[in-house]
Amino acid sequence: MANTLRLYLTCIRNTLEAAMCLQNFPCQEVERHNKPEVELKTSPELLLNPVLICRNEAEKCLIETSINSLRISLKVKQADELENILTKKFLRFLSMRAEAFQVLRRKPVQGYDISFLITNYHCEEMQKQKLIDFIVQFMEDIDKEISELKMSVNTRGRLVATEFLKQFV
Amino acid sequence: MILLQSHSRFLLQTLLNRVQNLEKSVELDYHWVEFDDVRYHVQVSMKNPHILLLSVSLPTPPLEAVFLGGLPFGAIEAIKAAYGVIVQILDPPRDGFNLTLKLNLSKLPPDEEYKHALLVKIASVREVVLGAPLRVILKYLASRTVAPDMDHLVALVHRPNESFFLVPQAEKVTVVFPMRFKDSIDTVLATSFLQEFVESRRTAGLSNAPPCLWSHSPPLELKGATDDALSANAGFVTFVIFPRHVEGKKLDRTVWNLSTFHAYVNYHVKCSEGFMHTRMRRRVESLIQALNRAKPDQEKTKKTAHTRSFKRLSLKDSCTNSSS
């Protein structure tokens, strides 16, 4: 189980290292504009092939690159109803704070749970390796956090139930 | 505080303050609301500092659990039995309230412990009044009989416009709670909590606790109840109470725990959500710290009295939208 996680993350890391070669590119259509080309997708010569990395049916990662920007979309595993709402709540919490995270996208891409948008400006400000480390650590942290939240809910449920039933004994 | 306490802390505080300063004339007029829409009003006037008027308003009962005479059945007897001569029920109650009690604080017993216990009991007026019908039914259970002309399916109110159901029998009482939550997240959390109730019952130490069941659809005991009584988005919880759960001192505790079961689950669902928010905030902070590590170290500017600090031009300043 942990084995596939390592492989999945290594694959994503390698793909990001190859894909994160961004340079400044002013907009071709409109003068004096500079837009992330991966969001607009107007000129096919500026886009690379998107790469889809699937760990299993429930978890996948889509990496779309263009000349000046890179978009990473993640779909996180949600086994049951509880994990579903915990994931939605947590990722919505993060997306609301996209401003603080800088590389996070406010809305996930259709069909995914959370998305990052990395532009050439981010690459100029931050070191590429550390940025990739951040993305991979983010993915690990999401998994860890969701499972810890679920465990805390179950533990609290058990405690609540035991205390209540003890009152009758 | 894991369990909900039966006395209202604010009311107890007010009573203790009054009792300690009985001779001081003071004007008091407090209104407050507690969980499940129970409202209180306390009034003390300057003229009679040892008289305290306490009014209680109960949650609106749904159609199947309507109060006859403005109070749940058995409430008046329960008040008289619990409080004795200190309390006088005023009829009609204050406008907007179900019950008004006139407390004569000079008639409190002199013994400190007894006085404190009685004040705690007065502060638990909610338990006495709202839990009165349940107490009546469970008292009959303790003597292994059923109250005469009791319906087969009894509906008692515990939240505004919502009730829970009892099937009183001679050797056991089955209590069914339809659990309803307004928010979808609350519903999912509550469902997982309620399933824990069933699981924990199976552990060794709790084999004497009432058997507990959870089901998504209305159980058989609710056959014959109205349709909106039968809709519950977090399922139905069934407890089976036996005489051993209501003998002697356990009766009051059982009445309180059952009357506030829904409130208890709701309280812990909300605590759980609050805790999750705290965790998420902490996680966000640690992630932002990880992101800041990706930035190359900022130049540290020294500020002394004589030197001015200069801001180094960074690449950020040169990257603007209008750059060609």
Side-chain angles (χ1 to χ4, degrees):
Chain A
M1 188 63 217
N3 220 357
T4 58
L5 178 66
R6 284 287 120 212
L7 285 174
Y8 179 55
L9 293 176
T10 317
C11 184
I12 290 181
R13 182 187 285 272
N14 291 338
T15 316
L16 284 177
E17 277 178 13
M20 208 176 286
C21 42
L22 309 175
Q23 53 179 292
N24 188 19
F25 192 85
C27 182
Q28 293 187 119
E29 276 99 27
V30 186
E31 244 182 69
R32 301 174 123 226
H33 275 209
N34 196 322
K35 308 174 194 179
E37 294 296 333
V38 76
E39 294 282 353
L40 300 174
K41 299 206 167 107
T42 45
S43 316
E45 73 271 15
L46 301 172
L47 305 171
L48 278 82
N49 286 334
V51 177
L52 180 64
I53 304 166
C54 295
R55 183 180 178 186
N56 48 45
E57 277 150 10
E59 281 186 76
K60 52 187 177 168
C61 172
L62 177 67
I63 301 178
E64 300 160 284
T65 327
S66 71
I67 189 163
N68 62 356
S69 45
L70 163 67
R71 191 161 71 181
I72 308 165
S73 307
L74 299 172
K75 183 145 186 67
V76 178
K77 147 176 83 83
Q78 289 149 46
D80 57 18
E81 191 64 42
L82 183 60
E83 260 185 45
N84 202 348
I85 60 140
L86 288 176
T87 311
K88 237 193 294 184
K89 211 172 156 69
F90 182 51
L91 293 180
R92 199 168 153 264
F93 194 88
L94 291 174
S95 306
M96 289 288 187
R97 286 156 180 78
E99 196 99 359
F101 279 104
Q102 296 175 57
V103 291
L104 206 57
R105 201 169 180 265
R106 269 197 195 274
K107 283 195 79 153
V109 168
Q110 187 76 273
Y112 292 86
D113 292 326
I114 192 165
S115 296
F116 295 86
L117 178 67
I118 303 178
T119 62
N120 55 302
Y121 299 125
H122 295 139
C123 288
E124 284 161 19
E125 267 177 12
M126 303 186 242
Q127 297 173 19
K128 174 175 157 181
Q129 278 305 323
K130 297 249 174 88
L131 197 48
I132 297 177
D133 283 343
F134 170 72
I135 303 278
V136 171
Q137 190 191 343
F138 192 95
M139 293 175 65
E140 283 181 4
D141 274 353
I142 292 184
D143 278 337
K144 228 190 301 170
E145 189 67 29
I146 303 291
S147 55
E148 275 176 23
L149 284 175
K150 184 172 179 191
M151 196 157 44
S152 83
V153 168
N154 285 338
T155 314
R156 184 184 277 263
R158 197 154 312 132
L159 184 64
V160 160
T162 317
E163 279 303 315
F164 185 78
L165 291 173
K166 260 202 293 196
Q167 291 289 298
F168 291 93
V169 170
Chain B
M1 188 183 81
I2 299 182
L3 297 163
L4 296 175
Q5 293 172 313
S6 59
H7 57 264
S8 155
R9 286 162 75 125
F10 182 66
L11 184 52
L12 182 61
Q13 195 85 0
T14 314
L15 289 169
L16 287 173
N17 276 341
R18 271 285 70 221
V19 164
Q20 277 166 0
N21 306 319
L22 209 47
E23 299 317 316
K24 250 191 261 184
S25 291
V26 68
E27 193 81 27
L28 281 183
D29 197 332
Y30 296 151
H31 276 272
W32 72 96
V33 187
E34 280 194 353
F35 64 92
D36 285 343
D37 203 24
V38 168
R39 290 157 201 264
Y40 295 88
H41 179 234
V42 157
Q43 192 172 22
V44 178
S45 67
M46 298 272 271
K47 294 178 288 181
N48 301 318
H50 53 272
I51 301 280
L52 191 137
L53 282 171
L54 171 64
S55 304
V56 183
S57 155
L58 304 171
T60 329
L63 290 169
E64 63 267 13
V66 145
F67 295 150
L68 297 168
L71 286 174
F73 77 84
I76 300 187
E77 291 82 31
I79 296 172
K80 291 202 181 119
Y83 302 138
V85 296
I86 306 174
V87 156
Q88 191 194 342
I89 304 178
L90 293 182
D91 190 29
R94 209 186 165 83
D95 208 14
F97 291 91
N98 292 67
L99 173 73
T100 304
L101 298 173
K102 185 164 148 183
L103 290 150
N104 195 338
L105 295 173
S106 52
K107 287 203 190 145
L108 283 171
D111 176 46
E112 277 304 318
E113 256 188 59
Y114 199 27
K115 182 162 41 167
H116 190 84
L118 193 52
L119 287 175
V120 169
K121 193 79 191 177
I122 295 176
S124 317
V125 62
R126 178 204 178 122
E127 179 200 354
V128 172
V129 174
L130 258 186
L134 184 58
R135 201 166 197 282
V136 164
I137 295 178
L138 291 180
K139 201 124 198 235
Y140 276 105
L141 176 67
S143 58
R144 288 170 175 76
T145 53
V146 186
D149 61 61
M150 178 76 61
D151 296 325
H152 170 73
L153 187 67
V154 181
L156 297 177
V157 64
H158 63 321
R159 297 177 88 208
N161 284 317
E162 285 180 32
S163 56
F164 65 102
F165 298 92
L166 293 156
V167 178
Q169 288 167 306
E171 69 288 346
K172 64 178 181 180
V173 171
T174 312
V175 190
V176 183
F177 292 94
M179 305 296 286
R180 296 184 191 101
F181 292 89
K182 286 211 184 81
D183 191 29
S184 61
I185 297 180
D186 283 2
T187 313
V188 176
L189 284 175
T191 314
S192 94
F193 275 16
L194 294 173
Q195 280 163 342
E196 283 296 333
F197 270 88
V198 182
E199 303 262 332
S200 332
R201 173 63 183 56
R202 291 198 213 124
T203 64
L206 293 172
S207 49
N208 269 338
C212 177
L213 294 165
W214 179 86
S215 74
H216 192 73
S217 55
L220 297 164
E221 286 89 357
L222 287 187
K223 224 187 323 189
T226 58
D227 275 335
D228 25 272
L230 291 180
S231 69
N233 53 9
F236 296 82
V237 181
T238 313
F239 286 102
V240 184
I241 310 289
F242 292 112
R244 65 169 182 271
H245 299 127
V246 292
E247 51 203 16
K249 290 209 181 276
K250 290 196 215 166
L251 177 62
D252 284 333
R253 227 169 35 186
T254 304
V255 166
W256 175 247
N257 285 326
L258 288 176
S259 333
T260 52
F261 176 68
H262 197 297
Y264 178 69
V265 174
N266 206 3
Y267 164 60
H268 280 286
V269 164
K270 294 295 181 194
C271 283
S272 207
E273 285 184 3
F275 178 67
M276 286 200 290
H277 270 276
T278 312
R279 271 198 77 101
M280 291 196 282
R281 264 184 227 121
R282 230 182 288 152
R283 183 63 73 170
V284 163
E285 267 170 54
S286 84
L287 284 172
I288 292 184
Q289 269 176 357
L291 188 59
N292 286 336
R293 281 202 289 271
K295 298 203 178 110
D297 287 329
Q298 310 275 345
E299 305 282 353
K300 289 198 180 73
T301 52
K302 271 186 250 172
K303 278 191 182 179
T304 62
H306 303 293
T307 62
R308 278 199 223 120
S309 54
F310 291 95
K311 186 177 167 211
R312 281 257 182 125
L313 269 179
S314 65
L315 275 169
K316 191 177 174 189
D317 294 326
S318 63
C319 296
T320 55
N321 261 351
S322 56
S323 65
S324 52

